[in-house]
Amino acid sequence: MWQWLRRLLGWKESSRRDDVVLEAEKMPQHVAIIMDGNGRWANKRGLPRTRGHQKGMERLREIVAASCKYGLKTLTLYAFSTENWQRPREEVDFLMSLPQVYLERELPELKGNNVRVRFLGRTGELPLATRRALEIARQETAGNSGLVLNIAINYGGRMEILDAVRGIAKKVQEGELDPEEITEDTIANHLYTADLADPDLLIRTGGEARLSNFLLWQGAYTELWFTPVLWPDFDEEVFKRALAAYQARERRFGRIPGQNR
Ligand code: IPE
Ligand code: IPE
Ligand code: MG
């Protein structure tokens, strides 16, 4: 009886999830994801944290493929923050080895999907082997015109703003720029994301409701969506729910409900 009931409920649940209908014309152009919860996923199973990171990396294929399928222009993934260097040495070393594994393995599929891979952050400070893997992926996909996949690695929002301020200050010092001419666009154009639109939707998995230094400038009017689902469990169905939630929102940008732009 219980089994039957559970099966019935299970069926209902999955059929409800399948009911999520997305509207092509309301699709966000740029989605950013804070991929959090790998450590807890592993802990729950009595596994080392590194297994969680490995499992998390394996989720990328499905989410990148879905992003292509839904016609997103840009997907920005937070892979390693400037604060993550403070983790135990073994964990940092393991995380630094992941781009080599992932990029090498996924490159054919990324190319097949016309994905252009780029990196946000102070990549020059990464270990040499990691840097090489990034450079190969960047070069080999540079000519692609489909989804722009930004991987934020050694990325910090404050560091990004600091780097922009330095760049601008230098131009002022060299007489190239008048301080009075500095606008919001000047700042945006000196960020790592210079040529990209701001994210429309930011998803954070793992249950925490904070930004953890991600896209501080660009996120001024981004819609936020938090889920307790841990990143290694984040699949296309959950992604779809996030996109549907976004489509149900009204973005007002300071105006009043229903006000025409
Ligand atoms: C996110 O998962 C991955 C990185 C920050 C590199 P965590 O490793 O932060 O997992 P939790 O938050 O400890 O569960
Ligand atoms: C944010 O997750 C960084 C990444 C997902 C790469 P953290 O796990 O580092 O964030 P905090 O420390 O809980 O804020
Ligand atoms: Mg975390």
Side-chain angles (χ1 to χ4, degrees), residues 35-41 49 53 79-80 84 87 91 95:
M35 308 182 290
D36 197 22
N38 293 349
R40 277 163 286 164
W41 183 92
R49 292 178 57 88
H53 294 313
F80 191 91
N84 288 146
R87 293 189 177 196
E91 183 166 339
L95 288 167

Side-chain angles (χ1 to χ4, degrees), residues 34-36 78-81 84 87 204 208 210 212:
I34 301 176
M35 308 182 290
D36 197 22
Y78 204 5
F80 191 91
S81 74
N84 288 146
R87 293 189 177 196
R204 182 171 185 144
E208 313 293 353
R210 55 175 169 257
S212 301

Side-chain angles (χ1 to χ4, degrees), residues 1-34:
M1 167 73 179
W2 278 117
Q3 252 181 2
W4 171 81
L5 195 64
R6 222 180 285 140
R7 222 179 299 138
L8 187 73
L9 285 173
W11 174 80
K12 265 196 174 162
E13 226 174 81
S14 65
S15 79
R16 198 182 54 219
R17 271 190 262 132
D18 288 342
D19 281 350
V20 173
V21 180
L22 297 174
E23 294 173 61
E25 66 280 7
K26 279 194 185 170
M27 212 47 103
Q29 305 242 304
H30 182 174
V31 175
I33 308 182
I34 301 176

Side-chain angles (χ1 to χ4, degrees), residues 117-145:
V117 186
R118 307 190 357 174
F119 300 92
L120 306 180
R122 284 198 184 170
T123 52
E125 293 172 353
L126 297 170
L128 185 63
T130 314
R131 245 154 53 207
R132 278 208 188 110
L134 267 49
E135 194 45 30
I136 291 170
R138 196 190 61 76
Q139 278 179 10
E140 298 233 344
T141 62
N144 291 348
S145 56

Side-chain angles (χ1 to χ4, degrees), residues 64-101:
V64 172
S67 302
C68 294
K69 188 171 78 182
Y70 298 140
L72 304 187
K73 279 211 164 86
T74 311
L75 178 68
T76 300
L77 303 172
Y78 204 5
F80 191 91
S81 74
T82 47
E83 287 72 30
N84 288 146
W85 294 108
Q86 297 170 77
R87 293 189 177 196
R89 175 76 199 265
E90 313 80 67
E91 183 166 339
V92 169
D93 287 349
F94 185 82
L95 288 167
M96 285 299 139
S97 73
L98 287 181
Q100 282 126 276
V101 182

Side-chain angles (χ1 to χ4, degrees), residues 26 37 50 52 60 68 70 72 78 99 118 127 131 151 163 169 179 194 207 209 216 220-222 241 255 257:
K26 279 194 185 170
T50 48
L60 290 172
C68 294
Y70 298 140
L72 304 187
Y78 204 5
R118 307 190 357 174
R131 245 154 53 207
I151 302 178
D163 284 344
L216 298 182
Y221 266 104
T222 300
R241 270 201 275 137
R255 296 175 181 84

